Amino acid sequence: MEEKPQMVIQEFSTVLSGLLELSDWLTEHGCTEIAMESTGVYWKPVFNVLEATCTVTLANASHIKNLPGRKTDKKDAQWIAELHRCGLVSNSFVAPREIRELRDLTRYRKKLKGYETSERNRIIKVLEDANIKISTFMSDVFGKSGRLMLDALVNGEVIEPEQVADLAIV
């Protein structure tokens, strides 16, 4: 006869030291399988720590919704555990660690490029608001020639239209 599962409640901090304590606690209790819901990005730190010592089933929150009513984190945890024990929690795809790290770096690079583009557009707008239309004379305001003109303007030099050709690099 199968032993009836026990419910043990313990709270842990979600900072790294708390998650490491959780991992140790689970190991001490012989727990090798974890089921948790994926809500936003909050699952990532927990998953990253526990994947080294447990088989983690990450479930889409909408697939394991409990019945409406009074909800608590403890009731949710108990519900997820019951579903997992019965094999009713389907695992969401989680890419391998290397791919997740590469995705994070790629997304960060994209965000930085967006900031760079915004700042360049802001500089061009400030110049155009001051009736300085550098973009009329060149296709890349931030290329070598454009930077020479921007440096000249920043240093207080007055650039006449006939001097623009002298600043352009051939």
Side-chain angles (χ1 to χ4, degrees):
M1 187 169 132
E2 193 174 309
E3 187 178 321
K4 185 176 178 187
Q6 286 183 294
M7 183 170 73
V8 180
I9 298 173
Q10 180 70 35
E11 290 185 19
F12 296 90
S13 168
T14 56
V15 298
L16 180 58
S17 59
L19 294 175
L20 292 172
E21 286 176 31
L22 168 61
S23 179
D24 292 343
W25 184 80
L26 291 169
T27 301
E28 288 171 17
H29 284 79
C31 184
T32 58
E33 290 189 39
I34 305 294
M36 57 189 264
E37 67 180 354
S38 61
T39 306
V41 296
Y42 300 111
W43 62 271
K44 287 182 178 183
V46 179
F47 186 93
N48 289 340
V49 170
L50 296 182
E51 74 176 328
T53 57
C54 298
T55 301
V56 182
T57 299
L58 184 68
N60 186 317
S62 65
H63 294 158
I64 58 171
K65 283 270 189 242
N66 203 345
L67 297 173
R70 302 182 72 133
K71 290 180 54 124
T72 67
D73 288 341
K74 291 175 187 172
K75 284 182 183 177
D76 280 350
Q78 187 175 6
W79 176 248
I80 293 168
E82 287 176 25
L83 291 175
H84 182 64
R85 255 191 337 274
C86 296
L88 297 174
V89 178
S90 58
N91 201 4
S92 297
F93 172 74
V94 179
R97 180 181 294 269
E98 296 82 16
I99 301 297
R100 294 193 314 261
E101 290 172 355
L102 181 60
R103 282 180 180 168
D104 288 343
L105 289 172
T106 303
R107 289 176 181 144
Y108 182 59
R109 182 182 186 280
K110 183 178 178 182
K111 187 168 290 250
L112 289 177
K113 290 301 284 181
Y115 291 151
E116 178 185 21
T117 301
S118 293
E119 290 305 314
R120 286 176 178 226
N121 291 340
R122 190 171 289 119
I123 289 168
I124 291 170
K125 182 183 181 317
V126 166
L127 290 170
E128 289 180 356
D129 287 349
N131 291 324
I132 301 171
K133 307 268 188 193
I134 291 180
S135 58
T136 303
F137 300 100
M138 62 190 55
S139 59
D140 185 5
V141 175
F142 297 96
K144 281 189 173 184
S145 300
R147 288 184 186 268
L148 283 173
M149 286 185 215
L150 290 172
D151 285 343
L153 289 170
V154 167
N155 291 326
E157 296 177 33
V158 176
I159 303 172
E160 298 297 329
E162 45 282 347
Q163 292 174 291
V164 170
D166 296 335
L167 290 172
I169 296 175
V170 182

